Amino acid sequence: MSRATDSAQPLRLGIAGLGTVGIGVVKIVQRHAAMLAARSGRPVTITAVSARDRTKNRDADLSDYAWETDPVALATREDVDVFVELMGGHEGPAKEATEAALKAGKDVVTANKALLAHHGQALAELAESLGRTIRYEAAVAGGIPVIKSLTEGLAGNGMRRVMGVMNGTCNYILTRMEEAGLPYDTVFEEARQLGYLEADPNLDVGGIDAGHKLAILAAIAFGTQVSFDDVVLEGIGRISIDDIRRAGDMGYKIKLLGVAQMTGRGLEQRMTPCLVPSSSPLGQLSGGTNMVVLEGDSVGQIVLRGAGAGEGPTASAVMGDVMDLARGMRLPVFGQPAASLATPTPAVTAIAAPYYLRLQLSDKPGALAKVATVLGEAGVSISRMRQYGHADTAAPVLIVTHKTTRDAIDAAISALPATRVVEGEPVAIRIEEL
Amino acid sequence: MSRATDSAQPLRLGIAGLGTVGIGVVKIVQRHAAMLAARSGRPVTITAVSARDRTKNRDADLSDYAWETDPVALATREDVDVFVELMGGHEGPAKEATEAALKAGKDVVTANKALLAHHGQALAELAESLGRTIRYEAAVAGGIPVIKSLTEGLAGNGMRRVMGVMNGTCNYILTRMEEAGLPYDTVFEEARQLGYLEADPNLDVGGIDAGHKLAILAAIAFGTQVSFDDVVLEGIGRISIDDIRRAGDMGYKIKLLGVAQMTGRGLEQRMTPCLVPSSSPLGQLSGGTNMVVLEGDSVGQIVLRGAGAGEGPTASAVMGDVMDLARGMRLPVFGQPAASLATPTPAVTAIAAPYYLRLQLSDKPGALAKVATVLGEAGVSISRMRQYGHADTAAPVLIVTHKTTRDAIDAAISALPATRVVEGEPVAIRIEEL
């Protein structure tokens, strides 16, 4: 029987996963015991911990806590009120132990974006059928209190759009390419050696990790079931240093940007490279910092910025959730009962936007006119254009279009080879207006 | 008897004050009835309203609501669960009605920073002795969910520093002076004509309004009783277009910046003009937008940005509080029981910082050496210096010092007249490091 709502009693945590975040949580509970008790009205304690390797040397004293080899055993202990899941992975032990914890009457706090992106709806329904909840501030944008801001602070808003740079590694790579003038492959290798990349780097540079986060935000913002499979994913692997520089010349930065918005044709979710104005808050974001932009019909635009990863920031987010539970504050997993969440209709790039186009033009008379004609026939009109010097046989041309659809851009691109004046593959990147 | 925690029943609001914010709240409740009910699990309704002038033409249909001439009568109605106080003013009806509401068993939602800055401790003690709470997200930085982020999201952090640009009018004036090259008096008059200024403009340009907000944030961040009287206040009236331009030359912007931090000598709270790096998020903030920076020992630096005023943003914040109450989420007014808040020891500018100094130097040989000597004798060392052309008899000299104390700067300034090479009053502005 959970005591999570009995304020006279301590709130007892069972922590599964003792990597940097788990140890960060342990340190906060130990260092700030008096402060946490003052703020929540009850002690916050740790009963038991669990990790794969008991013998590993860790940066915290764990001797007061029971050790469980099996996370399910930890999650179901009589003396645990809240199961803190910091193992990661969307199948296997994390899912199993989360389900076991809920069934044993525990609330769950997790940093596991993959788990929620893949199984959020089922887990939320399970939790709510049992009168429990799952909290996951640490799953999205590290230390930034974005889940809380969206679910609670902006609860009076019909949300219009949610955007974010939510993978620090990608933003680091793009910033480093720009600042050092290095190609993607070199910076990717640097990032790997610095330990910035996941074991499967495609989780980072392929946009999957950030896509998980976007799908979670979209569910809360639009009252729809998490639908990660509908997120249009495009990684940063095809971004060249040329595009970064030339976008810069036109007043833009390239970011791996997540955008979710409800359109007349359904829910649009995409995590793709985008151009954003250099002078905008998103454009000014460099390095590993995260930023989330929340747009509501009353509040307008709220921008939240902070560390998206790391021991302290992520542990801070976990503890924010723990403190809410200690204070007896609980709400449905996605802000409204899971059973009431709508099934979203996916809409792919339904909203018109300007695009950045980069073409290699062969040095033939009338080449540019031919390109302009093809664009015009596809319904794409040109806002700004810049042609670079003819140092090589092929000269790069940059075009910023007026607002158009992805379909029109794709139609134009597929009609370009017939002109015989375009060399190589044209690059088209959406410009997100802020 | 309040029904605020009975989730089967509607949450019934009584709204006192029908200016832009009050009408904004009415509009949200009307427009988003279904969404609010889905998110909170219960209908959110308005029972009664109150304002000074019943006959005024308002941009909302109020015909379904009871009208009360007396806000106290509104606050104590049987059929009101939450008293929404949007009248303003720290004495008189706002205070009286808030107290009456609490005593009648209602929770209170308010946008009234002055009320909380002056009477926050007493009101919190009253509320908590009665098992009620007061929510005030709208009182600080408009639509930005900063109270929630600090009190809840960062509850696991020992806070190090809280900063903010929280008066949009001042930031508008400073931005406009810079961009249009206009003197303070001209832009002040513009702002008055645009209706940006309070009836008593000193509330804005004197830093009082922003000081109220800072005092509230400091209480939450450091677990101390609100102590507005200890806030060092300095308005923007003495900022010249010269200083704005010359700070810009040195890589800084001038902002009316609030800073609260706990030092070894006590709680430092100041709302004064400061220089911030032009490239920092605070430096890039222009116009009426607000920004709050929260620094915690685990989370590092979180930056929140959004509209600090206006119907929609402020009503959004009020509704965030209302939704928390509708969801049964409640916590002590300042995040921990009011009775446990410490009495702060005020520390004035205890933390060393670099300073910007502007002097008018007379065109005498050795003038600069004399100034440098006086600074050195006061313990102020020079980091960077720039001397402008000798167009007039007196040439401006800009100095950026190394970290020093306000006492040392003041000592240096009072020793300068004796050198007989400095004309007029030297200007010294603290540089806040970010």
Side-chain angles (χ1 to χ4, degrees), chain A residues 28 32 35 38-39 143 148 151-152 155-158 221 284 297-299 302-305 312-313 316 327 331 335-337, chain B residues 28 31-32 35 38-39 143 148 151-152 155-158 221 284 297-299 302-305 312-313 316 327 335-337:
Chain A
I28 293 176
H32 282 314
M35 183 189 84
R39 288 182 178 169
K148 181 169 278 288
T151 316
E152 303 170 31
N157 285 261
Q284 288 160 356
D297 59 356
S298 289
V299 79
I302 296 286
V303 180
L304 313 173
R305 180 184 192 275
S316 165
R327 284 162 161 167
L331 76 177
Q336 65 184 69
Chain B
I28 293 176
R31 184 170 72 238
H32 283 314
M35 184 190 82
R39 288 181 178 169
K148 181 169 277 289
T151 316
E152 304 171 30
N157 286 262
Q284 288 160 355
D297 59 357
S298 288
V299 80
I302 296 286
V303 181
L304 312 173
R305 180 185 192 276
S316 165
R327 285 162 160 167
Q336 65 185 68

Side-chain angles (χ1 to χ4, degrees), chain A residues 242-283:
Chain A
D242 258 17
D243 285 316
I244 291 176
R245 284 189 182 139
R246 283 165 181 158
D249 290 352
M250 307 292 272
Y252 297 101
K253 299 270 185 183
I254 301 182
K255 299 289 172 193
L256 178 66
L257 182 68
V259 180
Q261 55 195 333
M262 190 58 80
T263 76
R265 287 157 58 186
L267 176 62
E268 180 177 343
Q269 300 180 85
R270 54 195 153 80
M271 180 57 69
T272 63
C274 282
L275 270 65
V276 296
S278 302
S279 60
S280 67
L282 280 167

Side-chain angles (χ1 to χ4, degrees), chain A residues 27-308:
Chain A
K27 286 185 194 167
I28 293 176
V29 170
Q30 293 179 350
R31 183 170 73 238
H32 282 314
M35 183 189 84
L36 299 175
R39 288 182 178 169
S40 71
R42 61 199 292 195
V44 175
T45 62
I46 297 169
T47 307
V49 295
S50 165
R52 258 177 297 200
D53 179 2
R54 186 168 188 174
T55 61
K56 192 174 160 187
N57 195 18
R58 293 185 172 90
D59 183 23
D61 177 5
L62 305 173
S63 57
D64 284 350
Y65 316 138
W67 181 276
E68 294 280 359
T69 310
D70 176 9
V72 171
L74 176 85
T76 55
R77 284 175 67 105
E78 275 290 315
D79 57 2
V80 162
D81 301 310
V82 175
F83 176 57
V84 182
E85 189 280 296
L86 303 172
M87 296 179 282
H90 67 275
E91 303 294 347
K95 179 162 179 276
E96 211 182 314
T98 296
E99 289 167 346
L102 295 171
K103 287 176 186 160
K106 325 293 188 191
D107 291 313
V108 175
V109 172
T110 180
N112 193 330
K113 58 224 81 164
L115 181 69
L116 287 161
H118 287 281
H119 306 293
Q121 182 64 24
L123 288 172
E125 286 178 11
L126 176 64
E128 289 163 24
S129 73
L130 296 162
R132 296 291 104 196
T133 195
I134 304 170
R135 303 295 306 260
Y136 48 91
E137 185 65 81
V140 180
I144 304 174
V146 57
I147 300 294
K148 181 169 278 288
S149 294
L150 181 59
T151 316
E152 303 170 31
L154 305 189
N157 285 261
M159 295 307 295
R160 289 183 167 155
R161 184 166 62 160
V162 174
M163 295 188 288
V165 170
M166 296 185 286
N167 183 282
T169 302
C170 287
N171 207 44
Y172 166 81
I173 290 175
L174 293 171
T175 305
R176 174 91 177 125
M177 285 172 70
E178 178 183 7
E179 289 175 356
L182 292 170
Y184 175 79
D185 291 341
T186 308
V187 176
F188 176 88
E189 200 46 47
E190 274 186 13
R192 188 205 292 277
Q193 279 165 19
L194 288 165
Y196 289 180
L197 285 160
E198 300 269 356
D200 172 5
N202 199 41
L203 286 174
D204 287 314
V205 297
I208 297 169
D209 164 85
H212 289 153
K213 296 167 185 170
L214 182 71
I216 293 169
L217 292 181
I220 303 168
F222 304 110
T224 49
Q225 299 187 6
V226 185
S227 56
F228 171 66
D229 289 345
D230 295 333
V231 178
V232 176
L233 284 180
E234 190 186 317
I236 61 169
R238 287 175 53 202
I239 301 297
S240 71
I241 175 72
D242 258 17
D243 285 316
I244 291 176
R245 284 189 182 139
R246 283 165 181 158
D249 290 352
M250 307 292 272
Y252 297 101
K253 299 270 185 183
I254 301 182
K255 299 289 172 193
L256 178 66
L257 182 68
V259 180
Q261 55 195 333
M262 190 58 80
T263 76
R265 287 157 58 186
L267 176 62
E268 180 177 343
Q269 300 180 85
R270 54 195 153 80
M271 180 57 69
T272 63
C274 282
L275 270 65
V276 296
S278 302
S279 60
S280 67
L282 280 167
Q284 288 160 356
L285 191 70
S286 64
T289 310
N290 281 19
M291 184 175 281
V292 181
V293 179
L294 305 174
E295 293 178 354
D297 59 356
S298 289
V299 79
Q301 190 182 74
I302 296 286
V303 180
L304 313 173
R305 180 184 192 275

